[in-house]
Amino acid sequence: MDAKISREEVRHVANLARLDLSEAEQERMTGQMNGILSYMEKLNELDTTGISAMTHAIELQNVFRPDRVCPSLDRKEALQNAPGSDGINFVVPKVI
Amino acid sequence: MTLHSLSMHEIHDLLLARKAGAVEVVSAFLQRMEAVEPKVNAYISTLGERALDEAKLFDEGKKDFASSALAGVPIAIKDVICVRGIRTTCGSRILENFVPPYDATVARKLDDAGMILIGKTNMDEFAMGSSTENSAFAKTRNPWNLECVPGGSSGGSAAAVAADLCAGSLGTDTGGSIRQPASFCGVVGMKPTYGRVSRFGLVAFASSLDQIGPITKDVEDAAMLLQTIAGHDPRDSTSVNLPVPDYRSTLRDSIRGLRLGIPREYFIEGTAPEVVSAVRKAIDTYRELGASLVDISLPHTEYGIAAYYIIAPAEASSNLARYDGVKYGHRVEGAKDLMEMYRRSRSEGFGAEVKRRIMLGTYVLSAGYYDAYYKKASQVRTLIRKDFLDAFEKCDAIVAPVSPIPAFRIGEKAEDPLQMYLSDVFTLPASLAGIPGISVVCGFTSERLPIGLQILGPHFREEVVLRVAHQFEQATPFHREKPPIG
């Protein structure tokens, strides 16, 4: 079986996904993703030339609404689940 | 007959006739929980006191049993649906302490109907799984055999109904997560058409597939519960503004002459012989009920798994990017900078299957692979949808198995994600197409594990699906069987 994804690529994808994987997790993930992605090869049995891609289960049209202020969460409620907050803002580690 | 074993409509009849009080009904379930819940682990949170307080309002005359068809009836909700002020975890460490500041639209509708919430049910983390083994908190057990899984991802909701730990429940179905656990637990589970029920306040897994639906003891309950939650919601722009028919009123209309499609691709090698035989017998029952049976083909069925396990993880990788430890959810201690905070919070907070799907989704959407995977899968999705549209030219509903296998042993597939994915073969196509489907019990294996019959209908024709399911249920004894637990 051709490897679909290398250990190096797994590290790269984990970085894109903002996940830290241990050496053992990387090893396992590489094996499992190779198994799963090889199975996906099955789709290449189908010629899909000219078939449009389906993005939704039903026909959807853009939904407009009036640009009107409606009741929304107040600040206290919006902050109540925050791991870090000063009562007015979300607080995170220094960025710059 | 004990109160906890009754259907929702039977309980409501007793309440209306003053033959039972709301506190009495809630207490019956709380007692049942004390005896049985430690064996089954159907719940993440139980809400006994809150439920009793609600029930008292009815018994004191401050709320009226006649205010809706299900007023005063206890219900459980899958822990992926937000209820204001009630911890909602999605079965994940990353949301272990999340308390939503608002109600999901379905939670609001149940409350408006006077239904009494008695608990939030266990599930695979973020609804990713087919066995409820991926919950960060507990493994739910199948009430029919405690060594077996209840199915997933709505395994807690299905097990709670089967074990009489609630009168009915809500689950969610992205690729079979209502129908398959209903099948494994021998109860009724319905996935409505995509867009029939608002997803506002449902924590997103795969937004083009997720749908909320009822899990109940009989089809009449499913019709009534769907009636309660269905309809357009301005807060979910993918919910559809179509009239909602009266589902209960047409359950008994004759199915004589109704054309039922039997898809040959759903009777393939690899399906357990006992499942095939039970479904074949169910088809005979439909013949006796006067339905006309039509052989149909859904030629792209075998591509459903590959398409689904590209599309759903792709959407999940995007939806789960929001868990960054900033506005809510787990945040790691002592991170030096923002990037470290993101990475370590996510790595600690998510379990193995969620990480695997985020990785798969990120990969198939990444530069250079998008066309080969995501675009290809979305084109195949078009073909799968067309299979159903073509089939519904020849038939009014489709009858098939829900799962190729009955409930499997806990741990049996846990080490091999692809094997777990392959067991979803018969539920994924309907999800990809967005059509409604139901599972009703149609027999038992020699080991007394339930077998589910799947009925699928055209978009927004839930009333046909419910009617076809109801007539089978009423013509057969299976739904009256109870698991040997208590």
Side-chain angles (χ1 to χ4, degrees), chain B residues 188 190 218-220 222-224 226 245-260 286 289-291 396-397 399 436-438 440 453 455-458 461-475:
Chain B
V188 177
M190 180 169 210
D218 66 20
V219 176
E220 188 155 359
M224 294 169 74
L226 178 61
D246 182 345
Y247 297 120
R248 198 183 186 186
S249 69
T250 52
L251 290 176
R252 288 164 187 82
D253 292 358
S254 168
I255 59 165
R256 191 159 288 281
L258 202 77
R259 300 166 305 165
L260 297 183
Y286 278 119
L289 289 169
D396 302 297
V399 177
I438 201 168
V440 288
L453 176 71
I455 298 150
L456 302 170
R461 298 305 304 275
E462 285 84 359
E463 75 280 10
V464 177
V465 174
L466 286 162
R467 177 154 63 107
V468 171
H470 181 72
Q471 310 240 339
F472 175 78
E473 175 192 83
Q474 294 304 307

Side-chain angles (χ1 to χ4, degrees), chain A residues 9 15 17-18 20 25 32 42-43 45-46 48 51-52 54 56-58 77 80-83 91, chain B residues 84 99 194 240 302-303 326-329 331 339 343 346-347 355-356 369 376 378-379 382 385 432:
Chain A
E9 282 177 294
N15 180 49
R18 305 290 182 252
D20 286 334
E25 278 180 306
Q32 289 173 336
K42 189 167 176 58
L43 294 182
E45 294 168 11
L46 293 172
T48 51
I51 305 289
S52 59
M54 175 173 161
H56 258 282
I58 44 171
E77 285 181 315
Q80 78 181 23
N81 281 289
V91 175
Chain B
R84 186 186 166 97
V99 178
Y194 181 84
V240 172
E302 62 176 307
Y303 302 99
V326 176
K327 299 188 206 67
Y328 45 76
R331 178 192 290 190
M339 188 59 83
R343 301 175 67 105
R346 289 165 63 77
S347 303
K355 286 179 187 170
R356 195 149 47 230
Y369 296 106
K376 183 82 181 180
S378 301
Q379 289 172 312
T382 300
R385 182 174 189 265
L432 290 165

